[in-house]
Amino acid sequence: MNGEGNSSKKWLTTLILCWFLGFFGVHRFYAGKITSGFMQLYGFIASIAILFVSVELGLGALVLCGASVVNDFCIILAKKFKDCYGKDICEDRLG
């Protein structure tokens, strides 16, 4: 079924989830990385909460969250993103 080091998760699905829902950590949940997905989601929610208290700190926190999403997107684009089992999410198979 899978190549020895390849995940059963779809690369394009992971890429699209990261692009559109990356701030919520959905691509990490999809890859089975539940803890880091929750951390990314919590970081985004906390950033929004901080934004209401202090605009400067909130924007800074959002930039940090955004940097994490951009980093993940680049890793997924390079086909080096791993699922929760340490297997590369690197290709889509039809059928």
Side-chain angles (χ1 to χ4, degrees):
M1 286 186 139
N2 294 348
E4 177 141 334
N6 295 339
S7 174
S8 62
K9 303 294 182 184
K10 304 233 182 284
W11 174 79
L12 187 60
T13 303
T14 309
L15 189 71
I16 290 170
L17 287 173
C18 184
W19 180 260
F20 289 106
L21 301 169
F23 275 101
F24 302 108
V26 173
H27 61 288
R28 289 187 166 271
F29 288 117
Y30 175 73
K33 298 179 173 185
I34 305 300
T35 304
S36 62
F38 274 118
M39 293 300 290
Q40 209 161 15
L41 178 62
Y42 175 75
F44 177 69
I45 292 171
S47 297
I48 296 300
I50 293 169
L51 193 61
F52 287 112
V53 176
S54 171
V55 174
E56 295 85 10
L57 287 176
L59 289 176
L62 281 173
V63 166
L64 288 175
C65 289
S68 171
V69 174
V70 169
N71 181 52
D72 281 352
F73 186 79
C74 290
I75 291 171
I76 294 167
L77 200 58
K79 299 186 177 184
K80 299 293 182 187
F81 197 72
K82 298 186 183 301
D83 67 5
C84 61
Y85 301 110
K87 294 183 176 184
D88 290 329
I89 300 175
C90 62
E91 59 185 63
D92 286 333
R93 295 181 187 243
L94 299 176

